[in-house]
Amino acid sequence: ERDQWSNPLEFIMSCIAMSVGLGNIWRFPATAMENGGGAFLIPYLVVLFFIGRPLYYMELCMGQFASYGCVKIWHMVPAMKGIGYSQVISTWAVVTYYVSLMATTMFYFFASFKSELPWSNCPANSSGCFDASLNHTFLNQSLHEDSMSASENYYSNVVTKTYKRGLDDGLFAPDLYLALCLLGSWLVLFVIISRGVKSSGKAAYFMALFPYVVLFGLLGKGLTLPGSWKGIKYFFTPDFSRLLELNVWKAAVGQCFFSLSVGFGSIVMLSSYNDFRHNVYRDALIISVTDTGTSILAGATTFGILGYLSEEMGVENVADVLKGGGTKLAFVTYPDVITHLNWYPQIFAVSFFLMLFTLGMGSATALTGVVITVVCDNLPNLSRFKVTVGVCILGFLLGLFYVTPQGEYILKLIDTYLGKECNTV
């Protein structure tokens, strides 16, 4: 007999923990930045209302009605079973790099306990690097192509070792410390999912609620920083001419699907453990509104911080502050701001990276559960515990590619062609 959630609240919390993830914190603000700030919000909300939310509700209904994962559910239309397998492939690809991001987060988490944040100062005899404590005139040099802040130097040269290293040189050996953090991340994930919904449901309360404590704290602190309102104004002020660009709408579809996890099979998987008569319409409304609200909250927090940095640098355009998007927003821009906090920045750093790890774990739990559920549905004689062990070991081995000096380039390739594109075609 198929397992079921201990109570309906665990299902809602698990769905919120899945949908509200790293994508809301670093991917949504970075995508908004690349597509005109406030101009991106309009297509994003349109796509969410007319496409994202209906599809989310449909997947909830399908999983609850059939009580199967995203492959076996296509017994209703056998010719379409390939959709389920493509979802598993795409989901597995996302899981492999998602946990590697959590490993980087864990690395920063432990580094935050040092008496002085290691990304606040440049190494001795480093050229083109400037400390966080230097004056405004020198901070403006961050806009020069060959210069970098101390936080960017730490991320590129100490953590990932990706600075000026591309795929043309081949793959180097994985970094030892990142590999250990990757192993730790998979061990935590294994403990949470080892007993299926019986264990992941209990962990969902913390994974769904704790990030909001930190987010609201960061927003409150950000609003007190000089220049923050300039960034928030940029975030909410649309450039209507950008609405005519097809790439902006394409980015909105990709972000909506990625944020809600529509098309990944995780929604079908989670709802398949529901009681047959559970009210999923109510849940779909609660979860989609929470996910959208979190994205806007994270966007306002991020752009408030970028507004502050533009004020510090004497830069008029907020978009010029961020050198590169994606992971650099989480591991360069945010740490750079934390070093400017005068009151125990270590506390903010520990809280922030614990929040990122928690967000990533919530999504990784659901995404990994998709693969495990599909294997167990098709091979019911296999022990779920053994399947979980095998999936986690394989995920760790594949994740080693992302903790090499070329890992960031591999991540971009996998994210573009197996993460976003595969689920928006």
Side-chain angles (χ1 to χ4, degrees):
E1 185 177 353
R2 194 174 188 83
D3 290 338
Q4 289 193 350
W5 300 100
S6 299
N7 60 72
L9 188 57
E10 287 186 4
F11 168 68
I12 294 179
M13 290 297 178
S14 296
C15 288
I16 291 176
M18 171 195 65
S19 296
V20 179
L22 293 176
N24 299 79
I25 304 301
W26 64 265
R27 186 167 179 163
F28 178 82
T31 304
M33 173 72 75
E34 294 168 1
N35 294 277
F40 177 75
L41 290 180
I42 297 175
Y44 176 75
L45 293 175
V46 170
V47 170
L48 175 75
F49 185 81
F50 289 103
I51 302 177
R53 187 176 293 174
L55 285 178
Y56 194 95
Y57 176 55
M58 182 190 72
E59 290 195 16
L60 285 177
C61 291
M62 290 171 61
Q64 182 168 305
F65 181 84
S67 293
Y68 284 133
C70 62
V71 172
K72 207 168 184 178
I73 195 174
W74 289 106
H75 281 182
M76 59 182 179
V77 188
M80 306 297 288
K81 188 178 289 187
I83 295 177
Y85 285 112
S86 68
Q87 287 179 322
V88 175
I89 294 172
S90 178
T91 300
W92 180 238
V94 171
V95 167
T96 57
Y97 78 68
Y98 221 85
V99 182
S100 72
L101 291 175
M102 293 162 53
T104 306
T105 302
M106 183 181 288
F107 185 98
Y108 271 87
F109 174 76
F110 288 120
S112 300
F113 285 96
K114 295 184 177 180
S115 58
E116 182 180 34
L117 295 177
W119 57 84
S120 61
N121 295 304
C122 296
N125 300 323
S126 58
S127 60
C129 178
F130 56 90
D131 295 342
S133 59
L134 296 181
N135 59 42
H136 298 188
T137 303
F138 197 52
L139 276 172
N140 198 37
Q141 293 185 17
S142 65
L143 299 181
H144 296 171
E145 184 177 353
D146 295 330
S147 62
M148 61 172 63
S149 65
S151 60
E152 185 176 4
N153 178 79
Y154 182 77
Y155 175 74
S156 299
N157 292 328
V158 179
V159 182
T160 62
K161 300 177 175 64
T162 58
Y163 186 59
K164 293 185 178 180
R165 290 180 179 176
L167 291 172
D168 294 340
D169 299 326
L171 288 178
F172 293 5
D175 180 79
L176 175 61
Y177 295 108
L178 283 179
L180 291 175
C181 290
L182 180 69
L183 177 62
S185 299
W186 274 106
L187 286 175
V188 174
L189 181 58
F190 171 76
V191 171
I192 292 176
I193 64 177
S194 58
R195 295 180 58 242
V197 295
K198 300 298 183 183
S199 55
S200 63
K202 301 296 185 295
Y205 291 101
F206 178 78
M207 293 187 295
L209 298 177
F210 172 74
Y212 289 100
V213 177
V214 181
L215 265 181
F216 278 110
L218 286 173
L219 178 63
K221 179 61 180 179
L223 293 178
T224 64
L225 299 174
S228 60
W229 287 103
K230 181 170 68 173
I232 295 175
K233 181 181 178 182
Y234 178 87
F235 178 56
F236 287 107
T237 302
D239 178 6
F240 291 104
S241 63
R242 298 294 300 273
L243 297 179
L244 300 177
E245 298 179 14
L246 184 60
N247 285 336
V248 175
W249 288 87
K250 181 182 178 182
V253 174
Q255 177 60 35
C256 179
F257 278 34
F258 190 92
S259 182
L260 285 175
S261 297
V262 171
F264 284 97
S266 52
I267 304 170
V268 172
M269 181 273 299
L270 289 174
S271 62
S272 70
Y273 297 103
N274 273 339
D275 179 75
F276 185 78
R277 292 175 175 81
H278 182 75
N279 186 357
V280 289
Y281 178 79
R282 175 200 61 201
D283 293 349
L285 182 62
I286 294 173
I287 297 163
S288 60
V289 169
T290 302
D291 177 75
T292 305
T294 305
S295 294
I296 295 175
L297 173 64
T301 303
T302 301
F303 278 87
I305 290 173
L306 293 177
Y308 162 70
L309 288 179
S310 69
E311 186 80 8
E312 286 286 289
M313 296 176 181
V315 179
E316 185 64 28
N317 191 356
V318 176
D320 291 335
V321 175
L322 186 61
K323 298 174 69 174
T327 55
K328 285 191 175 181
L329 186 61
F331 300 122
V332 174
T333 305
Y334 273 110
D336 194 28
V337 172
I338 289 174
T339 59
H340 287 75
L341 302 178
N342 298 324
W343 189 78
Y344 294 110
Q346 288 84 357
I347 296 177
F348 287 92
V350 169
S351 301
F352 175 73
F353 290 112
L354 179 60
M355 176 196 70
L356 283 188
F357 187 83
T358 304
L359 287 169
M361 189 60 65
S363 298
T365 298
L367 295 174
T368 309
V370 172
V371 181
I372 295 171
T373 298
V374 167
V375 174
C376 292
D377 282 351
N378 288 275
L379 301 172
N381 292 327
L382 275 179
S383 165
R384 185 183 181 93
F385 182 83
K386 293 181 180 179
V387 172
T388 304
V389 171
V391 167
C392 290
I393 291 176
L394 181 59
F396 167 71
L397 294 177
L398 292 174
L400 291 175
F401 287 102
Y402 300 104
V403 295
T404 62
Q406 291 75 24
E408 189 170 343
Y409 300 97
I410 299 174
L411 188 153
K412 290 179 181 178
L413 286 173
I414 298 298
D415 180 44
T416 300
Y417 296 106
L418 281 176
K420 291 187 290 188
E421 299 295 339
C422 190
N423 280 277
T424 55
V425 171

